[in-house]
Amino acid sequence: MARVFRRFVGFVMLQCSLLHYLSAQEVVITKIQLKDNEAIINYDLKDDILERKYALFLYSSQDNFIQPLEKVSGDVGVNLSVGGNKKIVWKPKEEFGEDFVGQLAFELKGSVYVPFIFLDGFDDYKELKRGKPYDLVWSGGRGDNVLNFELYKGENKVAVLEERPNVGNTKLILPVKVKPGKDYRLKISDKRNRDEVVFTEEFTIRRKVPLALKLGVFFTVGVATGLLIDQLTQEDPIIPAPGVPTR
């Protein structure tokens, strides 16, 4: 497969497009390399206004640059900061299958990032518990939008939550099967437009009932049960028969 992969990426062409505003803005591809069946793209994102955020997506000629590639990680997506030495990693075998062979052109397209909805207060949550309901409130977006809610840990999607209509609020309940840990965040997107995406700040997921408390309850019940069984299985004391009087 390594030979097929080299043939495949040997025809890659990369273009950049960025919607321009009044300040100087530029995306400069600095390096493209192949490593361990992955394509690695390094670039610089320049803007005179350093506080400005961007949305950048990688497209291919496989579908005539209609939908962004999904098997990508790194400095790609939304809410990207201005700066140099940024990196995108793309996995072609996961995107198109092990047997894909062909010629492709790629395009890195972007614009200034403006969230399509605005969350109200959710980023104040630093810790969330599994199975507990939380209020999720937002504003913006079209009234006929259907929103997708997904749970990520770092850059990996770990759970797909229910779709919700864009009514401005909902109850969020994290599945109990999700492992406790740090670096979780929610991805909220428009079902009809994949470019309209927002991420929450990262948060920690904890058990609804602490594990130590669960173990303490089990231990207490176990001790009580053991005492009960011990009492039930104890034999009645044997009382010796009274002695026979000699006279």
Side-chain angles (χ1 to χ4, degrees):
M1 287 307 300
R3 180 176 58 83
V4 174
F5 177 72
R6 285 195 295 270
R7 178 185 173 190
F8 164 53
V9 299
F11 294 94
V12 166
M13 297 181 295
L14 192 62
Q15 307 174 47
C16 299
S17 65
L18 193 64
L19 298 182
H20 288 274
Y21 288 73
L22 295 178
S23 61
Q25 301 166 330
E26 189 178 15
V27 176
V28 179
I29 303 299
T30 59
K31 187 178 181 181
I32 303 175
Q33 60 179 322
L34 310 178
K35 184 178 180 181
D36 298 329
N37 288 342
E38 296 177 341
I40 302 174
I41 303 165
N42 296 95
Y43 70 93
D44 295 337
L45 177 57
K46 301 179 180 181
D47 193 325
D48 290 344
I49 302 177
L50 300 181
E51 296 78 15
R52 184 171 281 162
K53 301 293 184 179
Y54 280 85
L56 286 174
F57 298 93
L58 188 63
Y59 296 78
S60 81
S61 58
Q62 178 73 0
D63 65 349
N64 199 25
F65 310 102
I66 295 176
Q67 295 290 347
L69 295 173
E70 295 183 351
K71 302 304 180 181
V72 292
S73 60
D75 297 307
V76 63
V78 299
N79 205 27
L80 300 175
S81 300
V82 175
N85 197 28
K86 294 185 176 294
K87 182 173 71 173
I88 298 174
V89 178
W90 176 59
K91 298 181 178 180
K93 293 198 295 183
E94 293 186 12
E95 189 84 42
F96 297 129
E98 294 283 344
D99 299 328
F100 178 81
V101 178
Q103 299 182 13
L104 286 180
F106 292 90
E107 188 172 10
L108 186 60
K109 298 191 291 186
S111 62
V112 172
Y113 173 60
V114 179
F116 78 105
I117 61 171
F118 295 89
L119 298 176
D120 184 9
F122 184 81
D123 287 335
D124 294 337
Y125 292 120
K126 303 303 179 184
E127 295 184 356
L128 281 76
K129 294 183 178 181
R130 302 178 304 183
K132 179 180 178 179
Y134 292 91
D135 290 322
L136 185 59
V137 180
W138 67 89
S139 60
R142 297 185 302 273
D144 59 346
N145 286 43
V146 175
L147 304 182
N148 294 324
F149 291 79
E150 299 167 313
L151 180 64
Y152 276 71
K153 182 173 176 59
E155 296 180 349
N156 299 316
K157 181 167 61 178
V158 297
V160 177
L161 309 179
E162 294 181 5
E163 297 177 352
R164 270 86 165 183
N166 185 20
V167 295
N169 64 87
T170 188
K171 289 287 187 182
L172 174 70
I173 301 178
L174 298 177
V176 295
K177 64 180 181 180
V178 175
K179 294 182 179 180
K182 300 179 180 179
D183 304 326
Y184 282 98
R185 56 181 179 158
L186 283 179
K187 176 184 177 182
I188 307 172
S189 59
D190 186 339
K191 186 176 181 179
R192 299 178 183 175
N193 186 351
R194 293 186 180 182
D195 291 345
E196 292 190 342
V197 176
V198 296
F199 280 93
T200 66
E201 296 292 331
E202 292 185 347
F203 52 83
T204 298
I205 293 181
R206 300 196 182 281
R207 295 177 174 87
K208 190 173 183 180
V209 178
L211 181 60
L213 182 57
K214 284 186 177 181
L215 293 176
V217 172
F218 293 154
F219 178 75
T220 303
V221 172
V223 171
T225 305
L227 291 175
L228 179 61
I229 293 175
D230 185 61
Q231 292 175 1
L232 292 176
T233 56
Q234 283 183 354
E235 297 181 358
D236 293 333
I238 299 175
I239 302 176
V244 178
T246 55
R247 297 285 301 172

